[in-house]
Amino acid sequence: MKYALKVDDLSKSFGDKAAVDGVTFSVGIGEIYGLIGPNGAGKTTTLRMIATLLSIDGGSIEVMGMDVASESAGVRSVISYLPEDAGAYKDLTGRAYLKFMARFFADGGELDDMVARAIEIADLGDRIDSKVDTYSKGMMRRLLIARAIMPNPKLAILDEVTSGLDVVNAYEIRQLIRELAASGVTILLSSHNMFEVEMLCDRVGMIDDGRLVLEGRPSELMSRHGAKNLEEVFVKAVKAK
Ligand code: ATP
């Protein structure tokens, strides 16, 4: 199978508002694909439909060859979705939270291995045994990423994963995303950080007003638009409307 994700003519409305309006794109296995676009463009709505959390009005989505609408259980078994506003149970320690979440996927020795791997990914040192409500934003995000990655998804869907993080935390999370992709995990992310998208993503799709208005490798988009960086491409595309 060539593609991990195929989105075809996808649409979704909320009342009269067409939040997603005929979006088509596909993501190859092991590719890092970035969705960019202004506030309210339809990125999160698209990600939520791919993650089986929101019904589709029109079009179709295939994840690893499975149809999101008719094979949603199969799709859920191969994806992991980390929403921008995700949180963890604050009364638990980081370790207890990971153990609690791992029970949805495994038991016995497999569960222990999964938790050990997640603790390694979170890389929180001794603080893994502190309560989650004492964590900084960066620590919390590392814990949530570890939770998202521990079941070994084939497709990881990450909404604004480094938003609000300091330089080192954001850098390390980007490194982790690169390592994941190199190990064959497909990554679909959304971001407002054009520097991040330019450095990290193999390909980028820009959504504006529910439509995919640009797509390509960051370098292609920059040369096509005579721009020095992706931020300039973005601004030119929005202003050209
Ligand atoms: P941001 O970058 O600000 O997170 P986004 O690109 O992720 O924006 P969406 O959250 O997908 O945008 O929203 C797309 C449009 O759909 C917006 O106009 C938003 O107000 C609307 N919308 C999203 N969810 C709902 C909902 N549950 N009910 C009504 N309207 C919604």
Side-chain angles (χ1 to χ4, degrees), residues 129-205:
D129 291 309
S130 302
K131 279 197 176 174
V132 166
D133 65 359
T134 67
Y135 284 8
S136 69
K137 203 167 185 176
M139 293 168 72
M140 182 68 153
R141 203 57 70 86
R142 298 175 83 106
L143 182 74
L144 290 169
I145 289 187
R147 185 271 286 161
I149 290 167
M150 75 183 172
N152 269 326
K154 299 226 183 302
L155 171 67
I157 304 164
L158 309 172
D159 200 354
E160 290 286 335
V161 73
T162 61
S163 128
L165 298 190
D166 69 25
V167 175
V168 173
N169 273 305
Y171 172 85
E172 289 183 355
I173 285 173
R174 285 196 286 270
Q175 281 298 105
L176 188 58
I177 291 173
R178 284 193 187 96
E179 284 164 22
L180 274 177
S183 75
V185 179
T186 305
I187 311 281
L188 174 65
L189 58 87
S190 83
S191 178
H192 286 294
N193 181 342
M194 293 303 102
F195 171 69
E196 167 169 291
V197 171
E198 191 181 318
M199 284 193 311
L200 189 60
C201 296
D202 298 308
R203 279 188 309 133
V204 176

Side-chain angles (χ1 to χ4, degrees), residues 14 17 19-20 37-46 84 159-160 192:
F14 296 107
K17 169 78 191 168
V20 176
N39 288 129
K43 303 178 295 295
T44 298
T45 304
T46 301
E84 186 186 358
D159 200 354
E160 290 286 335
H192 286 294

